[in-house]
Amino acid sequence: MSATDDYTELFSRVMMRSAPAPLAVMARGRGARVWDVEGKEYLDFLAGIAVNALGHAHPAFVEAVSAQAATLAHVSNYFATAPQLELAERLTRLTGGDRVFLGNSGAEAIEAAVKLARLTGRPRILTLENSFHGRTIGSLSLTGKPALRAPFEPLLPGVAHIPSTLEALERELAAGDVAALVIEPIKGEAGVVDLPTGYLAAARELTTAHGALLILDEIQTGAGRTGDWFAFQHEGALPPGTLPDAVALAKGIGGGFPIGALVTFGAASTLFGPGHHGSTFGGNPLAAATANAVLGEIESADLVANARTRGAELRARIELIGSPLVTDIQGRGLLLGIGLSQPVAGIVASRALDRGLIINAANESRIRLAPPLIIGDDELHEFTRLFAEAIDIPHTDPGDHA
């Protein structure tokens, strides 16, 4: 048996059956490349699902983890540490927010957002159909995918999943009992699907008018991925002079180290009081120091601009391939979703993996790309060659791929 076979057999014996069999067993990585236990090399255009902002084994990440682990890793939330406070200050500066709750993951950040909404005293939370906010009970309650929710119902009461239309939003808000609207600026797990033009700006105006919070899930779009630090900061995203009430963050802010955060703005920052929420590991010095190093490198290396520039180049390269399968390209910066005219996304992703390219079939008709923010000419050129081969499927009749 090969090393892959050995690990796959071990996986099937010891891992909970909530996860499918692994596509490969990875051993190491550097930059935008990873190698499996057989030594095969892959170009990573998923980055751990928009997590590895600096790629793999970046010196800034390695040094931060090593130095902090040798100094102080954890002290509990009875104490504060310099890395924790530095990170909170950094996140308020980058977002324009006022206060920060630090947790361990995106789901934890959303759980904090649910509690924040409950503290308004209003009973209902609105989210969008086909959205994704996590798999804990609270975050799953907000997730607009019935197939994910069904096995675990009943979930939290008072959550309504509405179409991504302003008519639906205005109708729900008119009842006067909505605590918050929780939305992704771009629907990531749906396959990187844009909101209707002007939706976010109108949502800010409508929630303000009806006294509801606007809470943004920027877990996948944050930390520079879309070509601005956060998607709500894109020109025209929100009305001039306005901000959200809270933003949930995770993934890219830690660059591979588990961390999450909820940043609050204005009056929403007064809702949490002593004892309302907590997290044993949230904001521990090891996680905080790593996040500071990752965000600091993104800032000093101007990787936000790189995401914007390289994202435009990546989009143009996909269009130039000219595949008849491609129907649309959505998203911004280095978070792109490719729509397919046939339900063959899994086949395309599998063909790409065979050729040494990691991409994601978000569903049967959409491919998701989220490469590290460090990619350059070499990676774009190699992606173009490998993706063109992967998407060149001779027969695309749906019956051929049933």
Side-chain angles (χ1 to χ4, degrees):
M1 292 177 67
S2 67
T4 298
D5 291 336
D6 288 340
Y7 281 117
T8 301
E9 190 277 331
L10 180 61
F11 182 96
S12 69
R13 281 194 292 112
V14 301
M15 296 300 291
M16 199 69 74
R17 292 181 179 177
S18 57
L23 299 173
V25 181
M26 297 305 181
R28 63 185 179 91
R30 181 162 295 278
R33 301 178 188 278
V34 289
W35 289 262
D36 67 20
V37 291
E38 306 294 345
K40 181 177 177 178
E41 179 180 328
Y42 303 83
L43 179 63
D44 185 1
F45 261 54
L46 187 58
I49 312 181
V51 168
N52 301 316
L54 303 182
H56 302 274
H58 191 284
F61 180 92
V62 173
E63 182 180 350
V65 172
S66 302
Q68 192 61 47
T71 306
L72 188 68
H74 179 74
V75 295
S76 91
N77 53 18
Y78 288 115
F79 306 95
T81 65
Q84 173 198 58
L85 298 176
E86 179 185 343
L87 177 59
E89 186 176 47
R90 185 187 298 271
L91 290 175
T92 59
R93 174 174 61 83
L94 293 175
T95 60
D98 296 302
R99 294 189 180 275
V100 179
F101 172 82
L102 294 171
N104 307 300
S105 66
E108 238 188 56
I110 293 296
E111 292 286 344
V114 171
K115 280 190 168 181
L116 188 79
R118 288 284 193 251
L119 288 172
T120 66
R122 292 184 172 189
R124 292 207 301 147
I125 298 174
L126 305 180
T127 69
L128 300 183
E129 294 175 351
N130 207 29
S131 62
F132 183 86
H133 299 287
R135 295 179 182 270
T136 56
I137 291 298
S139 60
L140 183 60
S141 300
L142 270 57
T143 293
K145 293 176 176 285
L148 295 182
R149 296 197 312 269
F152 307 102
E153 292 175 337
L155 297 170
L156 292 184
V159 177
H161 305 93
I162 64 174
S164 302
T165 67
L166 292 176
E167 293 78 11
L169 177 59
E170 194 159 17
R171 183 172 59 251
E172 296 290 336
L173 287 171
D177 61 350
V178 173
L181 169 66
V182 181
I183 54 175
E184 304 163 272
I186 300 171
K187 294 180 182 179
E189 295 299 315
V192 189
V193 176
D194 296 327
L195 294 176
T197 302
Y199 184 94
L200 195 60
R204 174 67 290 181
E205 293 177 337
L206 286 169
T207 51
T208 299
H210 291 277
L213 301 178
L214 176 63
I215 300 176
L216 302 183
D217 180 342
E218 291 242 24
I219 291 164
Q220 200 160 151
T221 55
R225 176 149 296 280
T226 63
D228 272 289
W229 271 106
F230 304 99
F232 76 83
Q233 295 171 339
H234 287 293
E235 185 177 357
L238 293 179
T242 68
L243 291 166
D245 296 294
V247 176
L249 306 173
K251 288 187 180 288
I253 68 170
F257 203 100
I259 190 168
L262 183 72
V263 181
T264 55
F265 301 71
S269 297
T270 67
L271 291 172
F272 274 130
H276 276 151
H277 201 36
S279 172
T280 296
F281 294 103
N284 74 51
L286 184 54
T290 306
N292 277 318
V294 170
L295 294 172
E297 179 66 17
I298 293 173
E299 195 163 18
S300 64
D302 203 10
L303 294 181
V304 177
N306 193 62
R308 185 164 54 250
T309 301
R310 299 303 185 178
E313 293 174 359
L314 179 57
R315 183 187 292 264
R317 283 173 173 268
I318 297 166
E319 292 172 345
L320 284 172
I321 290 172
S323 170
L325 271 178
V326 174
T327 60
D328 64 272
I329 305 172
Q330 299 188 46
R332 293 188 73 139
L334 290 176
L335 180 64
L336 296 180
I338 304 170
L340 304 179
S341 61
Q342 302 289 345
V344 293
I347 294 172
V348 173
S350 178
R351 286 167 59 90
L353 193 69
D354 289 343
R355 289 159 173 77
L357 172 65
I358 299 174
I359 57 178
N360 172 239
N363 54 56
E364 62 183 15
S365 61
R366 295 199 70 81
I367 295 289
R368 173 170 49 178
L369 305 178
L373 307 188
I374 60 170
I375 63 165
D377 291 337
D378 290 345
E379 290 81 9
L380 287 172
H381 179 74
E382 186 173 355
F383 165 85
T384 305
R385 176 178 62 83
L386 295 174
F387 186 69
E389 293 176 4
I391 203 168
D392 184 20
I393 300 176
H395 303 289
T396 57
D397 187 308
D400 292 341
H401 310 293

Short mmCIF file of all heavy atoms in Angstrom, two decimals, residues 225 305-318 329 332-336 371 375 380:
data_model
loop_
_atom_site.label_atom_id
_atom_site.label_comp_id
_atom_site.label_asym_id
_atom_site.label_seq_id
_atom_site.Cartn_x
_atom_site.Cartn_y
_atom_site.Cartn_z
N ARG A 225 -9.06 40.17 0.85
CA ARG A 225 -9.28 39.19 -0.21
C ARG A 225 -9.98 39.78 -1.44
O ARG A 225 -9.70 39.39 -2.58
CB ARG A 225 -10.08 37.99 0.33
CG ARG A 225 -10.43 36.97 -0.75
CD ARG A 225 -10.50 35.58 -0.21
NE ARG A 225 -9.21 35.12 0.27
CZ ARG A 225 -8.23 34.65 -0.50
NH1 ARG A 225 -8.40 34.60 -1.81
NH2 ARG A 225 -7.11 34.23 0.02
N ALA A 305 -3.75 45.57 -2.47
CA ALA A 305 -3.65 46.04 -3.87
C ALA A 305 -3.32 44.87 -4.79
O ALA A 305 -3.81 44.81 -5.93
CB ALA A 305 -2.60 47.13 -3.99
N ASN A 306 -2.48 43.95 -4.31
CA ASN A 306 -2.15 42.80 -5.14
C ASN A 306 -3.39 41.95 -5.42
O ASN A 306 -3.57 41.45 -6.53
CB ASN A 306 -1.08 41.94 -4.46
CG ASN A 306 -0.47 40.92 -5.40
OD1 ASN A 306 0.15 41.27 -6.40
ND2 ASN A 306 -0.66 39.64 -5.09
N ALA A 307 -4.24 41.80 -4.41
CA ALA A 307 -5.48 41.05 -4.61
C ALA A 307 -6.36 41.72 -5.65
O ALA A 307 -6.98 41.05 -6.49
CB ALA A 307 -6.24 40.92 -3.29
N ARG A 308 -6.40 43.03 -5.62
CA ARG A 308 -7.22 43.77 -6.57
C ARG A 308 -6.65 43.61 -8.00
O ARG A 308 -7.40 43.30 -8.94
CB ARG A 308 -7.26 45.25 -6.18
CG ARG A 308 -8.16 46.11 -7.02
CD ARG A 308 -8.44 47.44 -6.33
NE ARG A 308 -7.25 48.17 -5.95
CZ ARG A 308 -6.83 48.37 -4.69
NH1 ARG A 308 -7.52 47.87 -3.67
NH2 ARG A 308 -5.74 49.05 -4.42
N THR A 309 -5.34 43.79 -8.13
CA THR A 309 -4.71 43.72 -9.45
C THR A 309 -4.73 42.30 -10.00
O THR A 309 -5.11 42.06 -11.16
CB THR A 309 -3.26 44.22 -9.37
OG1 THR A 309 -3.26 45.57 -8.89
CG2 THR A 309 -2.58 44.16 -10.72
N ARG A 310 -4.28 41.36 -9.17
CA ARG A 310 -4.20 39.97 -9.63
C ARG A 310 -5.59 39.38 -9.85
O ARG A 310 -5.79 38.51 -10.72
CB ARG A 310 -3.41 39.13 -8.63
CG ARG A 310 -1.97 39.58 -8.44
CD ARG A 310 -1.20 39.60 -9.75
NE ARG A 310 0.20 39.92 -9.55
CZ ARG A 310 1.11 39.96 -10.52
NH1 ARG A 310 0.74 39.72 -11.77
NH2 ARG A 310 2.37 40.25 -10.26
N GLY A 311 -6.56 39.84 -9.08
CA GLY A 311 -7.92 39.36 -9.29
C GLY A 311 -8.45 39.75 -10.64
O GLY A 311 -9.11 38.96 -11.33
N ALA A 312 -8.17 41.00 -11.06
CA ALA A 312 -8.60 41.45 -12.38
C ALA A 312 -7.90 40.66 -13.47
O ALA A 312 -8.51 40.29 -14.49
CB ALA A 312 -8.31 42.94 -12.54
N GLU A 313 -6.61 40.36 -13.26
CA GLU A 313 -5.87 39.57 -14.25
C GLU A 313 -6.40 38.14 -14.31
O GLU A 313 -6.52 37.56 -15.40
CB GLU A 313 -4.38 39.56 -13.88
CG GLU A 313 -3.71 40.92 -14.01
CD GLU A 313 -2.28 40.90 -13.50
OE1 GLU A 313 -1.82 39.84 -13.04
OE2 GLU A 313 -1.62 41.95 -13.56
N LEU A 314 -6.71 37.58 -13.16
CA LEU A 314 -7.24 36.22 -13.12
C LEU A 314 -8.57 36.13 -13.85
O LEU A 314 -8.81 35.20 -14.64
CB LEU A 314 -7.39 35.77 -11.66
CG LEU A 314 -7.95 34.37 -11.39
CD1 LEU A 314 -7.11 33.31 -12.07
CD2 LEU A 314 -8.04 34.12 -9.89
N ARG A 315 -9.43 37.08 -13.60
CA ARG A 315 -10.73 37.12 -14.30
C ARG A 315 -10.53 37.20 -15.82
O ARG A 315 -11.18 36.48 -16.59
CB ARG A 315 -11.55 38.32 -13.80
CG ARG A 315 -12.94 38.41 -14.39
CD ARG A 315 -13.59 39.71 -13.97
NE ARG A 315 -13.89 39.74 -12.55
CZ ARG A 315 -15.07 39.44 -12.02
NH1 ARG A 315 -16.07 39.09 -12.83
NH2 ARG A 315 -15.26 39.51 -10.73
N ALA A 316 -9.62 38.07 -16.24
CA ALA A 316 -9.36 38.24 -17.67
C ALA A 316 -8.81 36.96 -18.29
O ALA A 316 -9.17 36.59 -19.42
CB ALA A 316 -8.40 39.39 -17.90
N ARG A 317 -7.95 36.26 -17.57
CA ARG A 317 -7.38 35.02 -18.09
C ARG A 317 -8.45 33.94 -18.25
O ARG A 317 -8.44 33.18 -19.23
CB ARG A 317 -6.27 34.53 -17.16
CG ARG A 317 -4.96 35.30 -17.30
CD ARG A 317 -3.94 34.88 -16.24
NE ARG A 317 -2.64 35.50 -16.47
CZ ARG A 317 -1.67 34.94 -17.17
NH1 ARG A 317 -1.85 33.75 -17.74
NH2 ARG A 317 -0.50 35.55 -17.32
N ILE A 318 -9.37 33.86 -17.30
CA ILE A 318 -10.46 32.88 -17.41
C ILE A 318 -11.32 33.19 -18.62
O ILE A 318 -11.71 32.29 -19.38
CB ILE A 318 -11.29 32.87 -16.12
CG1 ILE A 318 -10.45 32.42 -14.93
CG2 ILE A 318 -12.52 31.95 -16.28
CD1 ILE A 318 -11.08 32.70 -13.58
N ILE A 329 -18.61 34.99 -14.36
CA ILE A 329 -17.56 35.07 -13.34
C ILE A 329 -18.01 36.14 -12.35
O ILE A 329 -18.20 37.30 -12.73
CB ILE A 329 -16.19 35.44 -13.93
CG1 ILE A 329 -15.80 34.46 -15.04
CG2 ILE A 329 -15.13 35.43 -12.84
CD1 ILE A 329 -14.56 34.87 -15.81
N ARG A 332 -15.03 39.35 -6.34
CA ARG A 332 -14.10 40.48 -6.48
C ARG A 332 -12.73 40.05 -6.00
O ARG A 332 -12.59 39.16 -5.17
CB ARG A 332 -14.56 41.69 -5.64
CG ARG A 332 -15.85 42.32 -6.12
CD ARG A 332 -16.12 43.61 -5.38
NE ARG A 332 -15.21 44.67 -5.82
CZ ARG A 332 -15.59 45.94 -6.03
NH1 ARG A 332 -16.86 46.28 -5.87
NH2 ARG A 332 -14.72 46.84 -6.40
N GLY A 333 -11.71 40.74 -6.54
CA GLY A 333 -10.35 40.47 -6.10
C GLY A 333 -9.99 39.01 -6.30
O GLY A 333 -10.22 38.44 -7.37
N LEU A 334 -9.46 38.40 -5.25
CA LEU A 334 -9.06 37.00 -5.32
C LEU A 334 -10.08 36.08 -4.65
O LEU A 334 -9.72 35.07 -4.04
CB LEU A 334 -7.66 36.83 -4.71
CG LEU A 334 -6.55 37.45 -5.55
CD1 LEU A 334 -5.20 37.34 -4.84
CD2 LEU A 334 -6.48 36.83 -6.95
N LEU A 335 -11.34 36.43 -4.77
CA LEU A 335 -12.45 35.54 -4.43
C LEU A 335 -13.39 35.55 -5.63
O LEU A 335 -14.20 36.46 -5.79
CB LEU A 335 -13.18 36.01 -3.17
CG LEU A 335 -14.35 35.13 -2.72
CD1 LEU A 335 -13.88 33.74 -2.33
CD2 LEU A 335 -15.10 35.78 -1.56
N LEU A 336 -13.26 34.53 -6.47
CA LEU A 336 -14.02 34.48 -7.70
C LEU A 336 -14.81 33.19 -7.80
O LEU A 336 -14.35 32.12 -7.38
CB LEU A 336 -13.09 34.59 -8.92
CG LEU A 336 -12.31 35.90 -9.08
CD1 LEU A 336 -11.43 35.84 -10.32
CD2 LEU A 336 -13.25 37.10 -9.14
N PRO A 371 -7.18 31.97 -4.19
CA PRO A 371 -5.74 31.72 -4.01
C PRO A 371 -5.13 32.64 -2.95
O PRO A 371 -5.76 33.63 -2.54
CB PRO A 371 -5.17 32.04 -5.39
CG PRO A 371 -6.12 33.03 -5.97
CD PRO A 371 -7.48 32.63 -5.47
N ILE A 375 0.01 35.69 -4.78
CA ILE A 375 0.25 35.15 -6.12
C ILE A 375 0.74 36.24 -7.07
O ILE A 375 0.41 37.42 -6.94
CB ILE A 375 -0.99 34.45 -6.70
CG1 ILE A 375 -2.15 35.43 -6.88
CG2 ILE A 375 -1.38 33.25 -5.86
CD1 ILE A 375 -3.26 34.89 -7.76
N LEU A 380 -0.22 32.79 -11.92
CA LEU A 380 -1.32 33.05 -12.85
C LEU A 380 -1.12 32.33 -14.18
O LEU A 380 -2.07 31.78 -14.75
CB LEU A 380 -1.47 34.56 -13.08
CG LEU A 380 -2.06 35.37 -11.92
CD1 LEU A 380 -1.95 36.85 -12.22
CD2 LEU A 380 -3.50 34.98 -11.67
#
